[in-house]
Structures are given as structure tokens and as C-alpha cells.
Coordinates of all heavy atoms in Angstrom, one line a residue:
F1 N 77.4 -13.7 21.6 CA 78.8 -14.1 21.9 C 79.1 -14.0 23.4 O 79.6 -15.0 24.0 CB 79.8 -13.5 21.0 CG 81.2 -13.8 21.3 CD1 81.8 -15.0 20.9 CD2 82.1 -13.0 22.0 CE1 83.1 -15.3 21.2 CE2 83.4 -13.2 22.3 CZ 83.9 -14.4 21.9
H2 N 78.9 -12.8 24.0 CA 79.4 -12.6 25.4 C 78.5 -13.3 26.3 O 78.9 -13.8 27.4 CB 79.3 -11.0 25.7 CG 80.3 -10.2 24.8 ND1 81.6 -10.1 25.1 CD2 80.1 -9.5 23.7 CE1 82.2 -9.4 24.3 NE2 81.3 -8.9 23.4
A3 N 77.3 -13.4 26.0 CA 76.3 -14.3 26.9 C 76.7 -15.7 26.8 O 76.7 -16.3 27.8 CB 74.8 -14.1 26.5
A4 N 76.9 -16.1 25.6 CA 77.4 -17.6 25.5 C 78.7 -17.9 26.3 O 78.9 -19.0 26.8 CB 77.6 -17.9 24.1
E5 N 79.6 -16.9 26.3 CA 80.9 -17.1 27.1 C 80.6 -17.3 28.5 O 81.3 -17.9 29.3 CB 81.7 -15.8 26.9 CG 82.5 -15.8 25.6 CD 83.5 -14.6 25.5 OE1 83.2 -13.5 26.1 OE2 84.5 -14.8 24.9
Q6 N 79.5 -16.7 29.0 CA 79.2 -16.8 30.4 C 78.3 -18.0 30.6 O 77.8 -18.2 31.8 CB 78.4 -15.5 30.9 CG 79.2 -14.3 30.8 CD 80.4 -14.4 31.8 OE1 80.3 -14.9 32.8 NE2 81.5 -13.8 31.4
G7 N 78.0 -18.8 29.6 CA 77.2 -20.0 29.7 C 75.6 -19.9 29.6 O 74.9 -20.7 29.9
F8 N 75.3 -18.7 28.9 CA 73.9 -18.5 28.7 C 73.4 -18.6 27.2 O 73.9 -17.8 26.3 CB 73.4 -17.1 29.2 CG 73.7 -16.9 30.7 CD1 74.8 -16.1 31.1 CD2 73.0 -17.5 31.6 CE1 75.0 -15.8 32.4 CE2 73.3 -17.4 33.0 CZ 74.3 -16.6 33.3
A9 N 72.7 -19.7 26.9 CA 72.3 -19.9 25.5 C 71.1 -19.0 25.1 O 70.3 -18.6 25.9 CB 71.9 -21.4 25.3
G10 N 71.1 -18.7 23.8 CA 70.1 -17.9 23.2 C 70.4 -17.6 21.8 O 71.3 -18.2 21.3
Y11 N 69.7 -16.6 21.2 CA 70.0 -16.1 19.9 C 69.7 -14.7 19.7 O 69.0 -14.0 20.5 CB 69.1 -17.0 18.9 CG 67.6 -16.8 19.3 CD1 66.8 -15.9 18.5 CD2 66.9 -17.7 20.2 CE1 65.4 -15.8 18.9 CE2 65.6 -17.6 20.4 CZ 64.9 -16.5 19.7 OH 63.5 -16.5 20.0
V12 N 70.3 -14.1 18.6 CA 70.2 -12.7 18.4 C 69.1 -12.4 17.4 O 68.9 -13.2 16.4 CB 71.6 -12.1 17.8 CG1 71.4 -10.8 17.4 CG2 72.7 -12.3 19.0
K13 N 68.3 -11.4 17.6 CA 67.4 -11.0 16.6 C 67.7 -9.5 16.2 O 67.8 -8.7 17.1 CB 65.9 -11.0 17.2 CG 65.5 -12.4 17.5 CD 64.0 -12.5 18.0 CE 63.2 -11.4 18.5 NZ 62.0 -11.8 19.1
A14 N 67.9 -9.2 15.0 CA 68.2 -7.9 14.5 C 67.6 -7.7 13.2 O 67.4 -8.6 12.3 CB 69.8 -7.8 14.4
K15 N 67.3 -6.4 12.9 CA 66.8 -6.0 11.6 C 67.6 -4.8 11.1 O 68.0 -4.0 11.9 CB 65.3 -5.4 11.7 CG 64.4 -6.7 12.2 CD 63.0 -6.1 12.2 CE 62.0 -7.1 12.8 NZ 60.7 -6.6 13.1
P16 N 67.9 -4.9 9.8 CA 68.6 -3.7 9.2 C 68.0 -2.4 9.5 O 66.7 -2.2 9.5 CB 68.7 -4.0 7.7 CG 68.3 -5.5 7.6 CD 67.5 -5.8 8.8
N17 N 68.8 -1.3 9.7 CA 68.4 0.1 9.9 C 67.5 0.3 11.1 O 66.8 1.3 11.1 CB 67.7 0.5 8.6 CG 68.6 0.5 7.4 OD1 69.8 0.9 7.6 ND2 68.1 0.0 6.4
T18 N 67.5 -0.6 12.2 CA 66.7 -0.3 13.4 C 67.5 0.3 14.5 O 67.0 1.0 15.3 CB 66.0 -1.5 13.9 OG1 67.1 -2.6 14.1 CG2 65.0 -2.1 12.8
G19 N 68.8 0.1 14.5 CA 69.7 0.6 15.5 C 69.8 -0.2 16.9 O 70.3 0.3 17.8
Y20 N 69.2 -1.3 16.8 CA 69.2 -2.2 18.1 C 69.2 -3.6 17.7 O 68.9 -4.0 16.7 CB 68.0 -1.8 19.0 CG 66.7 -2.2 18.6 CD1 66.1 -3.5 18.8 CD2 65.9 -1.5 17.6 CE1 64.9 -3.9 18.4 CE2 64.6 -1.8 17.3 CZ 64.1 -3.1 17.7 OH 62.9 -3.4 17.2
V21 N 69.6 -4.4 18.8 CA 69.7 -5.9 18.6 C 69.0 -6.4 19.9 O 69.1 -5.9 21.0 CB 71.2 -6.4 18.6 CG1 71.4 -7.8 18.7 CG2 71.9 -5.8 17.3
V22 N 68.4 -7.5 19.7 CA 67.7 -8.2 20.8 C 68.4 -9.6 20.9 O 68.6 -10.3 20.0 CB 66.2 -8.4 20.5 CG1 65.6 -9.3 21.6 CG2 65.4 -7.1 20.4
Y23 N 68.8 -9.8 22.2 CA 69.4 -11.2 22.6 C 68.2 -12.0 23.3 O 67.9 -11.5 24.4 CB 70.6 -11.1 23.3 CG 71.2 -12.5 23.7 CD1 71.9 -13.1 22.6 CD2 71.0 -13.2 24.9 CE1 72.4 -14.4 22.8 CE2 71.5 -14.4 25.1 CZ 72.2 -15.0 24.0 OH 72.7 -16.3 24.2
E24 N 67.6 -13.0 22.7 CA 66.5 -13.7 23.3 C 67.1 -14.9 24.0 O 67.8 -15.8 23.3 CB 65.6 -14.2 22.1 CG 64.3 -14.6 22.5 CD 63.4 -13.6 22.8 OE1 63.4 -12.4 22.3 OE2 62.5 -13.7 23.7
C25 N 67.0 -15.0 25.3 CA 67.5 -16.1 26.1 C 66.6 -17.3 25.9 O 65.4 -17.2 25.8 CB 67.5 -15.7 27.5 SG 68.6 -14.3 28.0
F26 N 67.1 -18.5 25.9 CA 66.3 -19.7 25.9 C 65.6 -20.0 27.3 O 64.6 -20.5 27.3 CB 67.1 -21.0 25.6 CG 67.7 -21.0 24.1 CD1 68.9 -21.4 23.8 CD2 66.8 -20.6 23.1 CE1 69.3 -21.4 22.5 CE2 67.1 -20.6 21.8 CZ 68.4 -21.0 21.4
E27 N 66.3 -19.4 28.3 CA 65.7 -19.5 29.7 C 65.4 -18.0 30.1 O 66.4 -17.2 30.2 CB 66.6 -20.2 30.6 CG 66.9 -21.5 30.3 CD 65.8 -22.5 30.5 OE1 64.9 -22.2 31.4 OE2 65.8 -23.6 29.9
A28 N 64.2 -17.7 30.4 CA 63.7 -16.3 30.7 C 64.5 -15.7 31.8 O 64.9 -14.5 31.8 CB 62.3 -16.1 30.9
H29 N 64.8 -16.5 32.9 CA 65.4 -16.0 34.1 C 67.0 -15.7 33.8 O 67.6 -15.1 34.6 CB 65.3 -16.9 35.2 CG 65.9 -18.3 35.1 ND1 65.3 -19.2 34.3 CD2 67.0 -18.7 35.5 CE1 66.1 -20.3 34.3 NE2 67.1 -20.0 34.9
H30 N 67.5 -16.1 32.8 CA 68.8 -15.9 32.4 C 69.1 -14.4 32.1 O 70.3 -13.9 32.3 CB 69.3 -16.8 31.2 CG 69.6 -18.1 31.7 ND1 69.9 -19.1 30.8 CD2 69.7 -18.7 32.9 CE1 70.0 -20.3 31.5 NE2 69.9 -20.0 32.8
S31 N 68.2 -13.7 31.7 CA 68.4 -12.2 31.3 C 69.0 -11.5 32.5 O 69.8 -10.7 32.4 CB 67.2 -11.7 30.7 OG 66.1 -11.7 31.7
D32 N 68.4 -11.6 33.7 CA 68.9 -11.0 34.9 C 70.4 -11.3 35.1 O 71.2 -10.5 35.6 CB 68.1 -11.2 36.2 CG 66.7 -10.6 36.1 OD1 66.6 -9.8 35.3 OD2 65.9 -11.0 36.9
E33 N 70.8 -12.6 35.0 CA 72.1 -13.0 35.1 C 73.1 -12.5 34.2 O 74.2 -12.1 34.5 CB 72.2 -14.5 35.2 CG 71.5 -15.2 36.4 CD 72.0 -14.7 37.7 OE1 73.2 -14.7 38.0 OE2 71.2 -14.4 38.6
I34 N 72.6 -12.3 32.9 CA 73.4 -11.8 31.9 C 73.8 -10.2 32.2 O 74.9 -9.8 32.1 CB 72.8 -11.9 30.5 CG1 72.8 -13.4 30.1 CG2 73.5 -11.1 29.5 CD1 72.0 -13.6 28.9
I35 N 72.8 -9.6 32.6 CA 73.0 -8.2 33.0 C 74.1 -8.0 34.1 O 74.9 -7.1 34.1 CB 71.6 -7.6 33.4 CG1 70.7 -7.4 32.3 CG2 71.9 -6.2 34.1 CD1 71.0 -6.4 31.3
K36 N 74.1 -9.0 35.0 CA 75.0 -8.9 36.1 C 76.5 -9.4 35.7 O 77.5 -8.8 36.2 CB 74.6 -9.9 37.3 CG 73.4 -9.5 38.0 CD 73.1 -10.5 39.0 CE 71.7 -10.3 39.6 NZ 71.4 -11.4 40.5
K37 N 76.6 -10.3 34.8 CA 77.9 -11.0 34.5 C 78.7 -10.4 33.3 O 79.8 -10.4 33.1 CB 77.7 -12.4 34.4 CG 77.4 -13.0 35.7 CD 77.3 -14.6 35.5 CE 76.9 -15.2 36.9 NZ 77.0 -16.6 36.9
V38 N 77.8 -9.9 32.2 CA 78.5 -9.4 31.0 C 78.9 -7.9 31.2 O 78.1 -7.1 31.7 CB 77.6 -9.5 29.9 CG1 78.1 -8.8 28.6 CG2 77.4 -11.0 29.6
D39 N 80.1 -7.5 30.9 CA 80.6 -6.2 31.0 C 80.3 -5.4 29.9 O 81.1 -5.2 28.9 CB 82.2 -6.2 31.3 CG 82.8 -5.0 31.5 OD1 82.0 -4.0 31.8 OD2 84.1 -4.9 31.5
F40 N 79.1 -4.8 30.0 CA 78.6 -4.0 28.7 C 79.4 -2.7 28.6 O 79.5 -2.2 27.5 CB 77.1 -3.8 28.9 CG 76.3 -4.9 28.8 CD1 75.9 -5.7 29.9 CD2 75.8 -5.3 27.6 CE1 75.1 -6.7 29.8 CE2 75.0 -6.4 27.4 CZ 74.7 -7.1 28.5
K41 N 79.9 -2.2 29.7 CA 80.7 -0.9 29.6 C 81.9 -0.9 28.8 O 82.2 0.1 28.2 CB 81.0 -0.4 31.1 CG 79.9 0.0 31.9 CD 80.4 0.4 33.3 CE 79.7 -0.8 34.2 NZ 80.3 -1.0 35.4
N42 N 82.5 -2.1 28.5 CA 83.6 -2.2 27.7 C 83.3 -2.6 26.2 O 84.2 -2.8 25.4 CB 84.6 -3.2 28.3 CG 85.3 -2.6 29.5 OD1 85.6 -1.4 29.5 ND2 85.5 -3.4 30.5
M43 N 82.0 -2.7 25.9 CA 81.6 -2.9 24.5 C 81.6 -1.6 23.7 O 81.2 -0.7 24.2 CB 80.2 -3.6 24.5 CG 80.2 -5.0 25.0 SD 78.6 -5.6 24.8 CE 78.9 -7.2 25.7
V44 N 82.0 -1.7 22.5 CA 82.2 -0.5 21.6 C 80.8 0.2 21.4 O 80.7 1.4 21.6 CB 82.9 -0.9 20.3 CG1 83.0 0.3 19.4 CG2 84.3 -1.5 20.7
F45 N 79.8 -0.5 21.0 CA 78.7 0.0 20.5 C 77.5 -0.1 21.5 O 76.4 0.3 21.2 CB 78.2 -0.6 19.2 CG 79.2 -0.2 18.1 CD1 80.0 -1.2 17.5 CD2 79.3 1.1 17.7 CE1 80.9 -0.8 16.5 CE2 80.2 1.4 16.6 CZ 81.0 0.5 16.1
A46 N 77.6 -0.6 22.6 CA 76.6 -0.8 23.7 C 76.4 0.4 24.4 O 77.1 0.8 25.3 CB 76.9 -2.0 24.5
R47 N 75.3 1.1 24.1 CA 74.9 2.4 24.7 C 73.9 2.2 25.9 O 73.9 2.8 26.9 CB 74.4 3.4 23.8 CG 75.5 3.8 22.9 CD 75.0 5.0 22.0 NE 76.0 5.3 21.0 CZ 75.8 5.2 19.7 NH1 74.5 4.8 19.3 NH2 76.7 5.4 18.8
Q48 N 73.0 1.2 25.6 CA 72.0 1.0 26.6 C 71.8 -0.5 26.6 O 71.9 -1.1 25.6 CB 70.6 1.6 26.2 CG 70.6 3.1 26.2 CD 69.3 3.7 25.7 OE1 68.6 3.1 24.8 NE2 68.7 4.7 26.4
W49 N 71.5 -1.1 27.7 CA 71.3 -2.5 27.8 C 70.2 -2.7 29.0 O 70.2 -1.9 29.9 CB 72.4 -3.4 28.0 CG 73.3 -2.9 29.2 CD1 73.1 -3.4 30.5 CD2 74.3 -2.0 29.3 NE1 74.0 -2.9 31.3 CE2 74.8 -2.0 30.7 CE3 74.8 -1.1 28.4 CZ2 75.7 -1.1 31.1 CZ3 75.9 -0.3 28.9 CH2 76.3 -0.3 30.2
F50 N 69.3 -3.7 28.7 CA 68.3 -4.0 29.8 C 67.8 -5.3 29.6 O 67.9 -5.9 28.5 CB 67.2 -2.8 29.9 CG 66.6 -2.7 28.6 CD1 65.4 -3.4 28.2 CD2 67.1 -1.7 27.6 CE1 64.8 -3.2 27.0 CE2 66.4 -1.6 26.4 CZ 65.3 -2.3 26.1
A51 N 67.2 -5.9 30.6 CA 66.4 -7.0 30.5 C 64.9 -6.7 30.6 O 64.6 -5.8 31.3 CB 66.8 -8.0 31.7
G52 N 64.2 -7.3 29.8 CA 62.8 -6.9 29.8 C 61.8 -8.0 29.3 O 62.3 -9.2 29.1
E53 N 60.6 -7.6 29.1 CA 59.6 -8.5 28.7 C 58.8 -7.8 27.4 O 58.5 -6.6 27.5 CB 58.6 -8.8 29.8 CG 57.5 -9.7 29.4 CD 56.5 -9.9 30.6 OE1 57.0 -10.0 31.7 OE2 55.3 -10.0 30.4
L54 N 58.5 -8.6 26.4 CA 57.8 -8.0 25.3 C 56.4 -8.0 25.7 O 55.7 -8.9 26.0 CB 58.0 -9.0 24.1 CG 57.2 -8.5 22.8 CD1 57.6 -7.2 22.4 CD2 57.4 -9.6 21.7
V55 N 55.8 -6.8 25.6 CA 54.4 -6.6 25.8 C 53.7 -6.4 24.4 O 54.0 -5.4 23.7 CB 54.1 -5.3 26.7 CG1 52.7 -5.1 27.0 CG2 54.9 -5.4 28.0
E56 N 52.8 -7.3 24.2 CA 52.1 -7.3 22.9 C 50.6 -7.0 23.1 O 50.1 -7.0 24.3 CB 52.2 -8.6 22.2 CG 53.7 -8.9 21.9 CD 53.7 -10.2 21.2 OE1 53.5 -11.3 21.8 OE2 54.1 -10.2 20.0
N57 N 49.9 -6.5 22.1 CA 48.5 -6.3 22.0 C 48.1 -5.2 23.1 O 47.1 -5.4 23.8 CB 47.7 -7.5 22.2 CG 48.1 -8.5 21.1 OD1 48.2 -8.1 20.0 ND2 48.2 -9.7 21.4
M58 N 48.9 -4.2 23.2 CA 48.5 -3.2 24.2 C 47.4 -2.2 23.6 O 47.3 -2.0 22.5 CB 49.8 -2.2 24.4 CG 51.0 -3.0 25.1 SD 52.3 -1.8 25.5 CE 53.0 -1.4 23.9
P59 N 46.6 -1.8 24.6 CA 45.4 -1.0 24.2 C 45.9 0.5 23.6 O 46.9 1.0 24.3 CB 44.6 -0.8 25.4 CG 45.3 -1.3 26.6 CD 46.5 -2.1 26.0
V60 N 45.5 0.9 22.5 CA 46.0 2.2 22.1 C 45.8 3.3 23.0 O 46.5 4.2 23.1 CB 45.2 2.4 20.6 CG1 45.6 3.7 20.1 CG2 45.5 1.3 19.7
E61 N 44.6 3.2 23.7 CA 44.4 4.4 24.6 C 45.1 4.5 25.8 O 45.2 5.6 26.5 CB 42.8 4.5 24.9 CG 42.4 3.3 25.8 CD 42.1 2.0 24.9 OE1 42.2 2.0 23.6 OE2 41.8 1.0 25.5
D62 N 45.8 3.5 26.3 CA 46.6 3.5 27.5 C 47.7 2.4 27.4 O 47.5 1.3 28.1 CB 45.7 3.3 28.8 CG 46.5 3.4 30.1 OD1 47.6 3.8 30.0 OD2 45.9 2.9 31.1
R63 N 48.7 2.7 26.7 CA 49.8 1.7 26.7 C 50.8 1.7 27.9 O 51.3 0.7 28.2 CB 50.7 2.0 25.4 CG 49.8 1.7 24.1 CD 50.6 2.0 22.9 NE 49.7 1.7 21.8 CZ 50.1 1.7 20.5 NH1 51.4 2.1 20.3 NH2 49.3 1.4 19.6
V64 N 50.9 2.8 28.6 CA 51.7 2.9 29.7 C 51.3 2.0 30.8 O 52.1 1.3 31.4 CB 51.9 4.4 30.2 CG1 52.6 4.5 31.4 CG2 52.4 5.3 29.2
S65 N 50.0 1.9 31.0 CA 49.5 1.0 32.1 C 49.9 -0.5 31.8 O 50.3 -1.3 32.8 CB 48.0 1.1 32.3 OG 47.7 2.3 32.9
A66 N 49.8 -0.9 30.5 CA 50.2 -2.2 30.2 C 51.8 -2.5 30.5 O 52.1 -3.6 31.0 CB 50.0 -2.5 28.8
V67 N 52.6 -1.5 30.3 CA 54.0 -1.6 30.4 C 54.3 -1.6 31.9 O 55.1 -2.4 32.5 CB 54.8 -0.4 29.8 CG1 56.3 -0.3 30.3 CG2 54.6 -0.5 28.3
V68 N 53.6 -0.8 32.7 CA 53.8 -0.7 34.2 C 53.4 -2.1 34.8 O 54.1 -2.6 35.7 CB 52.9 0.4 34.8 CG1 52.8 0.2 36.3 CG2 53.5 1.8 34.4
E69 N 52.4 -2.7 34.3 CA 51.8 -4.0 34.8 C 53.0 -5.0 34.5 O 53.3 -5.9 35.4 CB 50.6 -4.3 34.2 CG 50.0 -5.6 34.8 CD 49.6 -5.6 36.2 OE1 49.3 -4.5 36.7 OE2 49.7 -6.7 36.9
A70 N 53.5 -5.1 33.3 CA 54.5 -6.0 33.0 C 55.8 -5.9 33.8 O 56.5 -6.8 34.2 CB 54.9 -6.0 31.5
A71 N 56.1 -4.5 34.1 CA 57.4 -4.2 34.9 C 57.3 -4.7 36.4 O 58.3 -4.7 37.1 CB 57.7 -2.7 34.8
K72 N 56.1 -4.9 36.9 CA 55.9 -5.3 38.3 C 56.8 -6.5 38.7 O 57.2 -6.8 39.8 CB 54.5 -5.4 38.8 CG 53.6 -4.2 38.7 CD 52.2 -4.4 39.1 CE 51.5 -3.1 39.2 NZ 50.1 -3.4 39.5
E73 N 56.9 -7.4 37.7 CA 57.6 -8.7 37.9 C 59.1 -8.5 37.8 O 59.9 -9.5 38.0 CB 57.0 -9.8 37.1 CG 55.6 -10.0 37.3 CD 55.2 -10.5 38.6 OE1 56.0 -11.4 39.2 OE2 54.2 -10.0 39.2
F74 N 59.7 -7.4 37.4 CA 61.1 -7.3 37.1 C 61.9 -7.4 38.4 O 61.5 -6.7 39.4 CB 61.5 -6.0 36.5 CG 60.9 -5.9 35.0 CD1 61.1 -4.7 34.3 CD2 60.3 -7.0 34.4 CE1 60.6 -4.6 33.0 CE2 59.9 -6.9 33.1 CZ 60.0 -5.7 32.4
T75 N 62.9 -8.2 38.5 CA 63.7 -8.4 39.8 C 64.7 -7.4 39.8 O 65.1 -6.9 41.0 CB 64.3 -9.8 39.8 OG1 65.1 -9.9 38.7 CG2 63.2 -10.8 39.9
L76 N 65.3 -6.8 38.8 CA 66.3 -5.8 38.8 C 65.8 -4.6 38.1 O 65.8 -4.5 36.9 CB 67.6 -6.3 38.1 CG 68.3 -7.4 38.8 CD1 69.4 -8.0 37.8 CD2 68.7 -7.2 40.1
C77 N 65.2 -3.6 38.8 CA 64.7 -2.5 38.0 C 64.9 -1.3 38.9 O 64.5 -1.2 40.0 CB 63.1 -2.7 37.7 SG 62.4 -1.5 36.7
S78 N 65.5 -0.3 38.3 CA 65.6 1.0 39.1 C 65.0 2.1 38.4 O 64.9 3.2 38.9 CB 67.1 1.3 39.2 OG 67.8 1.4 37.9
E79 N 64.5 2.0 37.2 CA 63.9 3.0 36.4 C 62.9 2.4 35.4 O 63.3 1.3 34.8 CB 65.0 3.7 35.7 CG 64.5 4.8 34.8 CD 65.7 5.6 34.1 OE1 66.8 5.0 34.2 OE2 65.4 6.6 33.5
L80 N 61.8 3.1 35.2 CA 60.9 2.7 34.1 C 60.9 3.9 33.2 O 60.5 5.0 33.6 CB 59.5 2.3 34.7 CG 58.4 2.1 33.6 CD1 58.8 0.8 32.8 CD2 57.1 1.8 34.3
R81 N 61.2 3.7 31.9 CA 61.2 4.8 31.0 C 60.4 4.4 29.8 O 60.6 3.3 29.2 CB 62.7 5.0 30.5 CG 62.8 6.2 29.5 CD 64.3 6.4 29.1 NE 65.0 6.7 30.2 CZ 66.3 6.8 30.2 NH1 66.9 6.8 29.0 NH2 66.9 7.1 31.2
V82 N 59.4 5.2 29.4 CA 58.6 5.0 28.3 C 59.1 6.0 27.1 O 59.0 7.1 27.3 CB 57.0 5.2 28.6 CG1 56.3 5.0 27.2 CG2 56.6 4.3 29.7
E83 N 59.5 5.4 26.1 CA 60.1 6.1 24.9 C 59.3 5.8 23.7 O 58.8 4.7 23.5 CB 61.5 5.8 24.6 CG 62.4 6.1 25.8 CD 63.9 5.8 25.5 OE1 64.2 5.3 24.5 OE2 64.8 6.2 26.2
T84 N 59.0 6.9 22.8 CA 58.2 6.6 21.7 C 59.0 7.0 20.4 O 59.9 7.9 20.6 CB 56.9 7.3 21.7 OG1 57.1 8.6 21.8 CG2 56.0 6.7 22.8

């Protein structure tokens, strides 16, 4: 809803009992603009928000390197955090 108000089309992906929601933009470059324009601080349940890229088929023995490689293209990035 908030992204649409700013003129960014996309759709929500959510699964019960996961604790998070993914907003998938129709245009990949819009994610950076949404981060800049939507006031996440005033949302009731938004604790963390970020723009990112889905990394699939990562090698089991070294998943961090695959994530680091994908993050090299991020235009707005101040921190890389790997959580499991």
C-alpha cells in the first residue's frame, strides 16, 4: 500500500507464521527509491526494512561468499549482515 502511494507497483509475498513480508517490485530499481520515500519509522510493525536480491542455489560449504558477491551491486548499502 505505502509503495503504491508513492507510485511503485509490485505485490506482497507472505507466508503464515514466518514473521516477515516481502514486497516484490515490478521494476527492480524501484526498491532503492521505495527505501528513500516510504516512512518506515512510522509504521507500527516495521522493525527492519531493506532492499535486496534473492540469492538462490548457494553452495552449502560457503554461502557467505555468494551473498557478498550479490551485495557488490547494491547502490545503497551501509552494512552486510548474515543471519541464520
Side-chain angles (χ1 to χ4, degrees):
F1 172 77
H2 296 283
E5 283 185 325
Q6 297 295 327
F8 301 109
Y11 57 95
V12 172
K13 294 187 336 188
K15 293 180 185 175
N17 300 315
T18 59
Y20 69 92
V21 174
V22 173
Y23 184 75
E24 195 76 34
C25 301
F26 290 136
E27 300 289 333
H29 64 279
H30 284 171
S31 60
D32 288 346
E33 293 300 316
I34 291 169
I35 292 289
K36 292 177 189 173
K37 292 184 178 184
V38 173
D39 185 13
F40 291 94
K41 289 178 248 153
N42 288 322
M43 291 184 186
V44 175
F45 295 108
R47 292 190 190 114
Q48 295 176 321
W49 58 90
F50 56 90
E53 179 180 324
L54 178 61
V55 180
E56 298 182 293
N57 304 316
M58 294 186 289
V60 175
E61 63 278 356
D62 184 13
R63 294 180 176 186
V64 174
S65 292
V67 172
V68 169
E69 186 63 31
K72 287 180 179 178
E73 299 298 319
F74 293 173
T75 57
L76 299 173
C77 189
S78 61
E79 178 180 10
L80 176 61
R81 180 182 301 179
V82 178
E83 297 179 355
T84 58

